[in-house]
Amino acid sequence: MLRWCHKIVEIVVLRLGHRASRDKRVTSHVCLVARAFGASEVIIAGDEDPTIESTVKKIVERWGGNFKVSFTQNPLAVINEWKRRGGIVIHLTMYGVNLPDIIKDIKASPKPKMVIVGAEKVPREIYDVADYNVAIGNQPHSEIAALAITLDRLMDSLWSRISFNNAKLKIIPSLRGKKVKYIR
Amino acid sequence: MLRWCHKIVEIVVLRLGHRASRDKRVTSHVCLVARAFGASEVIIAGDEDPTIESTVKKIVERWGGNFKVSFTQNPLAVINEWKRRGGIVIHLTMYGVNLPDIIKDIKASPKPKMVIVGAEKVPREIYDVADYNVAIGNQPHSEIAALAITLDRLMDSLWSRISFNNAKLKIIPSLRGKKVKYIR
């Protein structure tokens, strides 16, 4: 299992409430979106789930980069440690302040950012400990979508031009079909 | 079961390849994102799955609007009918042309749009029949994230100001906690 690495990184994602029986695919999507949209790691608070680690590992082996996933049983300790080290904490919730109303404030800070995405029920302490409780619209939808839009805005659409070291293959964008370049 | 309604709507989503045993939650997220980001309906090509219908129905009852979900066993017929009626078809795939390179062309057309999101393996015919094969970055991630970003761009961030008729409750955005207004 990978451990949470205590170096400061620009954006990490904390996924709250993973249950291996139910959340496997949604949590996998959270991890892949985090990577493709420019975050450096996901910390999962919940069941330790080797299939998530294996999915992420396979993606990194083929598509490159240093993206990491790890698990914790104590998300509040992880959050408090992040804050103690000078990071800011953004909790995505449909009850929060709408992203367009707060994004300038958040982006004005050069501090590393932790973006928290929850499963269905998020404990009250998370709302209290977060520097920002932020909504991607105030309708129920998806933490995967909320994370994508947040990273899109925080990283100025980095997803559209991101590239990763040590990739074994690369897509050549095309209007029809699938063009893939294999890299030795 | 709801049937596909043949009126012209601005954006509909076609979800390819739903398997009730495996895709329940991901397809639910696709539906909720479609609604919250301004599409009017999702057509699901795959297993007829009453739990998806029930999830969407509950959301619409509480949160308002006229969002619809239906199922088809013949997605190509649905696509061809859409095109015959003057709609354009955008297939989201990591192999496609990157969204920022094509969005102006797509938005220049006033025609109603069908956005197709697939499960893992999408048949070649879909690439051929689509007017646009579009990538939200050329890295593997999530059809939920891809749909959110696409609708965000196509509808000019409508998600941040959308409201629905006949909602029973409404969130009052707040920096801490949960504020909900119940509407009689």
Side-chain angles (χ1 to χ4, degrees):
Chain A
M1 195 193 80
L2 293 168
R3 296 261 157 222
W4 185 41
C5 173
H6 286 276
K7 70 175 181 179
I8 295 299
V9 285
E10 211 197 8
I11 299 191
V12 307
V13 174
L14 176 60
R15 160 66 162 165
L16 292 182
H18 175 71
R19 287 160 295 173
S21 59
R22 160 177 175 145
D23 298 322
K24 228 174 258 306
R25 295 195 64 222
V26 172
T27 299
S28 292
H29 283 229
V30 165
C31 292
L32 299 191
V33 167
R35 176 185 171 277
F37 283 68
S40 56
E41 68 175 300
V42 172
I43 304 158
I44 299 168
D47 300 347
E48 293 204 12
D49 185 345
T51 63
I52 301 283
E53 283 180 305
S54 145
T55 300
V56 169
K57 199 172 160 229
K58 277 182 208 157
I59 292 283
V60 170
E61 276 171 9
R62 299 191 76 189
W63 297 93
N66 302 303
F67 187 78
K68 290 191 298 279
V69 63
S70 61
F71 294 87
T72 181
Q73 304 309 315
N74 192 345
L76 267 178
V78 171
I79 296 168
N80 285 327
E81 171 73 0
W82 182 261
K83 291 181 79 170
R84 202 186 60 76
R85 289 168 172 264
I88 66 168
V89 174
I90 302 156
H91 170 224
L92 303 187
T93 161
M94 65 194 273
Y95 299 99
V97 174
N98 225 333
L99 184 67
D101 299 329
I102 198 88
I103 186 76
K104 270 192 190 164
D105 281 17
I106 297 176
K107 286 181 83 168
S109 160
K111 294 179 181 175
K113 288 155 187 82
M114 172 179 279
V115 179
I116 304 180
V117 289
E120 280 176 6
K121 199 78 179 170
V122 170
R124 172 77 208 196
E125 296 82 41
I126 303 296
Y127 289 80
D128 292 337
V129 79
D131 297 297
Y132 301 97
N133 289 286
V134 175
I136 311 307
N138 299 106
Q139 293 287 326
H141 56 90
S142 161
E143 62 268 36
I144 300 165
L147 178 62
I149 296 287
T150 302
L151 295 179
D152 173 63
R153 300 304 203 266
L154 282 179
M155 306 199 95
D156 301 314
S157 307
L158 179 62
W159 58 264
S160 66
R161 54 188 186 280
I162 203 166
S163 70
F164 293 96
N165 290 332
N166 305 319
K168 289 191 184 137
L169 67 180
K170 198 186 159 187
I171 286 170
I172 314 298
S174 60
L175 252 180
R176 302 253 161 245
K178 305 178 180 180
K179 289 185 192 150
V180 179
K181 190 177 160 190
Y182 292 86
I183 301 157
R184 277 183 290 177
Chain B
M1 197 194 76
L2 294 168
R3 297 262 156 218
W4 185 40
C5 173
H6 286 275
K7 72 176 177 173
I8 295 298
V9 286
E10 209 195 11
I11 299 191
V12 307
V13 174
L14 176 61
R15 161 66 162 165
L16 292 181
H18 175 72
R19 288 160 296 172
S21 58
R22 156 176 179 147
D23 299 322
K24 229 174 255 309
R25 297 195 62 221
V26 172
T27 299
S28 293
H29 283 229
V30 164
C31 291
L32 300 192
V33 167
R35 174 184 172 278
F37 283 68
S40 56
E41 69 176 300
V42 171
I43 305 158
I44 299 168
D47 299 346
E48 294 205 10
D49 185 345
T51 63
I52 301 283
E53 283 179 306
S54 144
T55 299
V56 169
K57 198 171 162 227
K58 276 181 208 157
I59 292 283
V60 169
E61 275 172 12
R62 300 190 76 189
W63 297 93
N66 301 304
F67 187 79
K68 290 192 299 277
V69 62
S70 61
F71 293 87
T72 179
Q73 303 311 314
N74 192 346
L76 267 178
V78 172
I79 296 168
N80 286 326
E81 172 74 1
W82 182 261
K83 290 180 80 169
R84 202 186 61 75
R85 287 169 173 267
I88 66 168
V89 174
I90 302 157
H91 170 225
L92 303 187
T93 161
M94 67 194 271
Y95 299 99
V97 174
N98 225 332
L99 184 67
D101 299 328
I102 198 90
I103 186 79
K104 269 192 191 164
D105 281 18
I106 297 176
K107 286 181 83 169
S109 160
K111 294 178 180 175
K113 288 157 188 77
M114 170 178 283
V115 179
I116 304 180
V117 288
E120 281 176 4
K121 200 77 179 171
V122 170
R124 172 76 207 199
E125 297 82 45
I126 302 296
Y127 289 80
D128 292 337
V129 78
D131 296 297
Y132 301 97
N133 289 285
V134 175
I136 311 308
N138 299 109
Q139 292 288 326
H141 57 89
S142 161
E143 62 267 37
I144 300 164
L147 179 62
I149 297 286
T150 302
L151 295 179
D152 173 63
R153 300 303 202 268
L154 283 178
M155 307 198 95
D156 300 313
S157 307
L158 178 63
W159 57 266
S160 65
R161 53 186 187 281
I162 204 166
S163 71
F164 293 97
N165 290 334
N166 305 318
K168 289 190 185 138
L169 68 180
K170 197 186 161 186
I171 286 170
I172 314 298
S174 61
L175 253 179
R176 303 255 161 243
K178 304 178 180 182
K179 289 185 193 151
V180 179
K181 190 178 162 188
Y182 292 86
I183 301 157
R184 275 182 294 180

